Amino acid sequence: MLATVMHTAFFLLLGASVARFLLRHPGSPNTPWIIALSAALALLYVLGPALGPALGATPTLRRLTWLGLVVTAWVVLVVLAPSFAWCAVPLFYTALRTLPPRAAIVLVALLTVFVVAAQLKLSHGFDPNLLLAPPAIAALATAVFVHMERQAQAQRALIDDLIRTRRELAATERREGTLAERQRLSMEIHDTLAQHLSSQQMLLQAADRVWDGDPATARAHVRTATGIAARGLAEARRLVHDLAPPELAGGAGLADALRALDAGPDIDVRFHLEGTPAPLPDRVQSALLRVAQGALANVREHAHARNAALTLSFLGDQVVLDIADDGHGFTEPRTPGSDDRGHGLPAMRARVGQLGGTLTIESTAGEGTVLSAAIPLEHHP
């Protein structure tokens, strides 16, 4: 705002000085020089912003040269026509913005001397106001500018401190959240899995002691231990399901995680992204990543493929992940591998189905396989 006011004032004062000279000195031999120097000064002043930032930056040689040319043109104009002296007020501001504080104050003082000399030359007698007013105006303008600049620096420092504090607070909250989650998991593991394993150990030890003397009791202990193991396995799966995949940790997106997947050294995996990416809930990202990992595991172990392609498509109301390979294919959907590993087709279908989605498979023997997982987004804000 202040820069706009000063620039406007400069051109108004320059125009008024030219008009005054032409009205007061019609037909003067200096008129062509006055008009040419005024146009040059205006042009130089306009070129100032094109040289880059001035305030708060170390003045470059180009900017110092520009300021020297501006001041020189103004001094010559003042010598030829003292009425141009009042154009110095915006030049005070330009000097203060361009030079270091001490150098700027020296230049302002020199400009003020020229203003006083020009005003005394125009007057018909000694006038104290002409001697005291310019230094007073220069001092006031300098004090106001320095005060405003100090306030601006203080505000910038405060904003930087606030931004840094907010980042540190966010980092602290993330660390506290991580520690709290670790503590929660350790407590859950202690209260569930550890207790189950301890109970199984005691039951199996008891069964071993009575195995020969009381087979019925031993088998009962084994059956009880089996039941506890099943509950422990279910609890372990629940804990694993609640954890986000490490590939998505640290704010990594689904596209980046899919792009980083591979199916082994003998299979070329390519990734494609279609549509306009939209933020996805963590559960959706985790499910699609696990589906991709399971599908690529099947490609590696059973398809005998050389190429595989992952395509993530954002279709507005749903997100679709396609995994295609050029392997042997099959005539009927099957579940290679063990479901415990989470790579089986039923496990993928269940994972997608929990989110309201569907899993479809298209495969023909000898022509490869295309697995497609589609999840609607309206139910996952």
Side-chain angles (χ1 to χ4, degrees):
M1 182 63 181
L2 180 59
T4 302
V5 172
M6 285 298 175
H7 296 334
T8 304
F10 174 80
F11 288 107
L12 288 176
L13 290 171
L14 183 62
S17 299
V18 173
R20 183 181 186 278
F21 179 83
L22 295 177
L23 291 174
R24 294 291 183 89
H25 307 282
S28 172
N30 290 332
T31 298
W33 291 102
I34 295 297
I35 295 176
L37 284 171
S38 298
L41 181 58
L43 180 60
L44 285 170
Y45 195 87
V46 168
L47 291 177
L51 298 177
L55 192 61
T58 301
T60 61
L61 180 59
R62 286 196 308 169
R63 193 159 190 87
L64 290 175
T65 303
W66 166 81
L67 180 60
L69 292 175
V70 169
V71 172
T72 301
W74 174 81
V75 169
V76 175
L77 276 172
V78 172
V79 172
L80 296 176
S83 58
F84 283 84
W86 287 109
C87 293
V89 176
L91 294 183
F92 293 165
Y93 172 76
T94 302
L96 290 168
R97 280 178 54 89
T98 304
L99 298 175
R102 292 184 179 179
I105 292 175
V106 172
L107 180 57
V108 168
L110 293 176
L111 296 179
T112 304
V113 171
F114 271 91
V115 173
V116 171
Q119 295 304 306
L120 291 175
K121 184 178 180 180
L122 288 175
S123 66
H124 300 289
F126 179 76
D127 187 348
N129 286 334
L130 298 179
L131 183 63
L132 299 177
I137 294 174
L140 179 62
T142 302
V144 170
F145 179 86
V146 171
H147 177 70
M148 292 180 62
E149 175 58 17
R150 287 177 179 174
Q151 283 191 328
Q153 290 179 351
Q155 289 179 350
R156 288 193 292 267
L158 178 60
I159 292 173
D160 292 340
D161 288 340
L162 289 175
I163 294 175
R164 183 169 55 255
T165 301
R166 188 166 69 174
R167 290 175 178 172
E168 292 175 353
L169 180 61
T172 300
E173 290 178 349
R174 286 194 296 269
R175 287 194 296 268
E176 291 179 350
T178 301
L179 292 175
E181 181 66 11
R182 288 178 178 176
Q183 184 178 11
R184 183 188 70 82
L185 287 175
S186 65
M187 293 175 61
E188 288 207 26
I189 292 173
H190 176 270
D191 294 340
T192 56
L193 299 181
Q195 295 297 333
H196 291 157
L197 291 173
S198 177
S199 299
Q200 293 173 53
Q201 183 183 31
M202 290 188 296
L203 287 169
L204 292 175
Q205 289 174 346
D208 182 63
R209 287 194 296 267
V210 300
W211 190 268
D212 295 328
D214 191 354
T217 301
R219 284 193 292 271
H221 289 331
V222 172
R223 286 193 296 270
T224 304
T226 302
I228 293 175
R231 291 195 297 272
L233 180 60
E235 187 66 26
R237 286 174 173 170
R238 184 188 67 80
L239 289 174
V240 171
H241 182 270
D242 289 342
L243 294 175
E247 294 85 354
L248 297 175
L254 177 60
D256 293 334
L258 293 174
R259 189 177 287 109
L261 294 179
D262 67 82
D266 298 327
I267 303 176
D268 181 24
V269 178
R270 299 182 303 277
F271 173 76
H272 306 281
L273 180 64
E274 296 184 357
T276 303
L280 296 176
D282 292 341
R283 294 183 62 199
V284 174
Q285 294 190 75
S286 176
L288 291 178
L289 179 61
R290 292 310 189 200
V291 168
Q293 290 173 327
L296 289 179
N298 287 342
V299 171
R300 179 177 62 251
E301 297 173 8
H302 305 285
H304 302 288
R306 300 300 301 272
N307 299 282
L310 302 176
T311 304
L312 181 65
S313 305
F314 290 86
L315 305 179
D317 60 344
Q318 66 176 347
V319 58
V320 179
L321 175 64
D322 297 312
I323 302 97
D325 67 73
D326 59 357
H328 293 173
F330 50 88
T331 55
E332 294 183 2
R334 54 193 175 89
T335 308
S338 171
D339 286 348
D340 291 344
R341 295 181 303 169
H343 297 327
L345 296 178
M348 299 182 201
R349 184 172 284 107
R351 189 185 296 274
V352 174
Q354 290 175 354
L355 300 175
T358 57
L359 185 77
T360 58
I361 303 170
E362 297 178 6
S363 182
T364 303
E367 297 184 5
T369 302
V370 177
L371 183 147
S372 179
I375 299 178
L377 298 178
E378 62 268 21
H379 301 304
H380 308 283

